[in-house]
């Protein structure tokens, strides 16, 4: 069997083999990330296999991987809560040394069932950015419903659906690859077009959707769980209401997504919500007009999904970068990424 190990992975393994963990702190100082704002970005924490019926790329780590990562963070870093970050930002204070902020996007149930017990065990605070339309609802996040349909053998897609040609590709193209292409396409079209395409697909697959094992694999949090976590170590921020691609909305729609999600969380948690993470969050998923809506809605900080660490004090409070944790982020790579983000971040 041919082992494909990336150069970063190989280097990370060598460093882990020959250098005791203690030296990661030294590396961190040398690389200059100490004193900066380091944010880790997760989605889901879940055990899985190749037959996983939803978007497998949203699984950031298995519970075992996540525990190894938390052990390292709690031993060598200073896990910080988001309220302290906002407070330091507003009062122009330095961040505590070696600060690391742990964040999750979307608000999947496994954040409660798998991540929360481990975060408590290692006393690591975290922030979950939730898409409020899906909290306490039976609806499946739109991209995960799309994933289920495309991965299914029984999918019906009408010829007039713009995804038809993407879906009916050569059988040599894997379904997961087709899903990736369809998701990319949906990020490019207008919001109305995206909703029409998804609606068309849902209408021709009503029976299939009823069979969707979302309770088992793709549930979102409910407000009781959100409240319980909020009472103990976990903070919440907005991930908008419906998880649109914000740059595909007009200004009024953008502002509505920003304000309505903020209000719903504030009403449920009875506290001010100061932070938002832009859905998808890559370069094309936010722009100056998104920043303007974020500011107008009253948020203090906006989080992207662009890789990197942030100079402190922040010069771009609405364009905060994060380090992505993915299921292929091995523990050696994770340790190297945290202490040497410029070399090992991706
Ligand atoms: Zn998201």
């Amino acid at each position: 069997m041919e082992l494909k190990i990336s150069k970063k992975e190989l280097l990370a393994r060598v460093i882990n083999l020959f250098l005791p963990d203690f030296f990661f702190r030294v590396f961190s100082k040398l690389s200059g990330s100490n004193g900066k704002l380091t944010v880790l970005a997760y989605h889901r924490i879940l055990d899985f296999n190749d037959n996983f019926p939803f978007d497998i790329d949203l699984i950031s780590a298995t519970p075992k991987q996540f525990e190894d990562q938390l052990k390292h963070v709690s031993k060598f870093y200073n896990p910080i809560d988001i309220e302290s970050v906002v407070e330091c930002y507003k009062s122009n204070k330095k961040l505590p040394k070696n600060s690391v902020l742990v964040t999750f996007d979307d608000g999947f149930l496994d954040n409660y069932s798998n991540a929360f017990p481990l975060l408590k065990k290692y006393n690591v605070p975290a922030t979950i950015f939730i898409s409020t339309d899906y909290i306490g609802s039976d609806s499946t996040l739109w991209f995960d419903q799309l994933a289920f349909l495309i991965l299914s053998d029984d999918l019906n897609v009408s010829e007039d659906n713009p995804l038809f040609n993407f879906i009916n590709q050569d059988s040599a193209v894997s379904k997961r690859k087709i899903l990736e292409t369809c998701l990319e396409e949906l990020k490019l079209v207008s919001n109305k077009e995206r909703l029409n395409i998804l609606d068309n697909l849902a209408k021709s697959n009503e029976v299939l959707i009823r069979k969707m094992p979302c309770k088992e694999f793709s549930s979102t949090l409910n407000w009781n769980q959100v409240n319980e976590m909020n009472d103990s170590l976990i903070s919440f921020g907005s991930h908008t209401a419906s998880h649109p691609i914000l740059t595909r909305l007009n200004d009024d729609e953008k502002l509505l997504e920003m304000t309505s999600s903020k209000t719903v969380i504030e009403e449920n948690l009875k506290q001010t919500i100061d932070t938002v993470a832009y859905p998808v969050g890559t370069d094309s998923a936010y722009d100056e007009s998104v920043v303007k809506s974020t500011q107008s809605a009253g948020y203090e900080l906006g989080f992207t999904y662009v890789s990197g660490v942030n100079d402190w004090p922040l010069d771009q409070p609405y364009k905060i970068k994060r380090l992505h944790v993915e299921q292929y982020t091995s523990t050696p790579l994770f340790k190297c990424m945290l202490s040497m983000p410029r070399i090992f971040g991706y």
Side-chain angles (χ1 to χ4, degrees):
M1 191 179 79
E2 193 191 340
L3 268 182
K4 280 189 185 165
I5 304 175
S6 75
K7 283 179 192 158
K8 279 182 190 176
E9 176 68 39
L10 202 59
L11 184 57
R13 285 190 197 184
V14 170
I15 290 172
N16 271 267
L17 201 61
F18 294 107
L19 293 172
D21 277 356
F22 173 78
F23 284 97
F24 280 107
R25 263 202 210 128
V26 179
F27 268 106
S28 174
K29 275 199 174 148
L30 287 175
S31 71
S33 63
N34 200 352
K36 298 188 176 192
L37 174 61
T38 301
V39 189
L40 292 173
Y42 291 88
H43 286 91
R44 311 192 63 179
I45 305 297
L46 204 60
D47 280 315
F48 62 98
N49 61 36
D50 289 346
N51 297 325
F52 187 69
F54 292 94
D55 189 351
I56 209 165
D57 289 336
L58 292 177
I59 302 175
S60 314
T62 63
K64 166 79 180 72
Q65 280 176 304
F66 187 55
E67 179 158 16
D68 287 346
Q69 293 162 4
L70 290 181
K71 263 184 209 164
H72 183 73
V73 168
S74 59
K75 193 170 169 193
F76 292 105
Y77 293 86
N78 179 17
I80 188 173
D81 60 47
I82 204 159
E83 288 78 13
S84 307
V85 176
V86 172
E87 169 58 26
C88 287
Y89 166 68
K90 282 167 76 175
S91 54
N92 215 8
K93 282 192 218 147
K94 277 187 182 172
L95 282 175
K97 275 188 178 170
N98 274 317
S99 295
V100 170
L101 175 66
V102 174
T103 67
F104 291 82
D105 283 5
D106 300 330
F108 279 100
L109 177 62
D110 51 76
N111 293 181
Y112 174 79
S113 43
N114 294 338
F116 183 42
L118 291 169
L119 289 161
K120 280 195 289 189
K121 182 174 173 186
Y122 292 93
N123 199 29
V124 174
T127 298
I128 305 177
F129 295 107
I130 50 178
S131 293
T132 50
D133 284 359
Y134 292 94
I135 300 301
S137 122
D138 284 336
S139 313
T140 305
L141 280 147
W142 65 263
F143 42 86
D144 235 14
Q145 176 159 311
L146 178 77
F148 171 76
L149 291 176
I150 288 180
L151 296 172
S152 162
D153 289 331
D154 303 318
L155 172 69
N156 281 318
V157 53
S158 56
E159 273 186 54
D160 62 344
N161 190 311
L163 294 183
F164 182 84
N165 287 333
F166 294 105
I167 291 171
N168 286 287
Q169 287 194 54
D170 195 304
S171 58
V173 182
S174 77
K175 285 186 175 166
R176 295 215 184 264
K177 185 73 204 162
I178 291 173
L179 169 63
E180 206 183 303
T181 317
C182 290
L183 284 169
E184 282 312 311
E185 180 62 17
L186 289 179
K187 287 170 193 169
L188 298 175
V189 300
S190 73
N191 197 53
K192 202 172 161 214
E193 172 89 350
R194 177 180 64 85
L195 295 174
N196 281 342
I197 292 172
L198 294 171
D199 193 46
N200 173 293
L201 214 51
K203 282 197 175 119
S204 28
N205 291 283
E206 281 174 358
V207 177
L208 193 54
I209 287 173
R210 275 202 291 277
K211 286 194 256 170
M212 193 163 55
C214 50
K215 283 224 156 54
E216 204 179 341
F217 298 113
S218 184
S219 283
T220 41
L221 297 165
N222 65 38
W223 286 108
N224 285 340
Q225 290 152 347
V226 170
N227 263 295
E228 184 190 330
M229 285 194 279
N230 193 55
D231 287 342
S232 165
L233 217 54
I234 310 298
S235 307
F236 288 86
S238 162
H239 198 40
T240 71
S242 72
H243 204 290
I245 314 302
L246 288 163
T247 44
R248 306 291 170 240
L249 301 180
N250 68 34
D251 287 349
D252 288 345
E253 290 167 332
K254 271 180 217 140
L255 191 59
L256 186 62
E257 284 282 344
M258 289 291 176
T259 50
S260 65
S261 54
K262 188 174 191 293
T263 309
V264 168
I265 308 174
E266 287 178 344
E267 278 171 0
N268 275 282
L269 298 185
K270 317 241 175 318
Q271 66 189 59
T272 308
I273 295 301
D274 290 318
T275 57
V276 62
Y278 313 124
V280 179
T282 47
D283 276 333
S284 58
Y286 69 96
D287 59 13
E288 290 310 320
S289 71
V290 170
V291 167
K292 213 174 140 199
S293 324
T294 311
Q295 221 166 351
S296 307
Y299 291 99
E300 300 285 348
L301 303 176
F303 292 75
T304 72
Y305 202 67
V306 172
S307 178
V309 291
N310 306 276
D311 286 336
W312 193 270
L314 294 170
D315 52 352
Q316 305 264 36
Y318 295 105
K319 295 181 186 175
I320 295 176
K321 293 174 189 165
R322 295 186 281 173
L323 295 173
H324 312 162
V325 186
E326 310 284 358
Q327 55 191 256
Y328 47 81
T329 311
S330 66
T331 304
L333 195 55
F334 177 84
K335 292 176 179 178
C336 287
M337 180 173 79
L338 259 184
S339 57
M340 294 166 275
R342 254 185 249 157
I343 302 169
F344 288 94
Y346 44 83

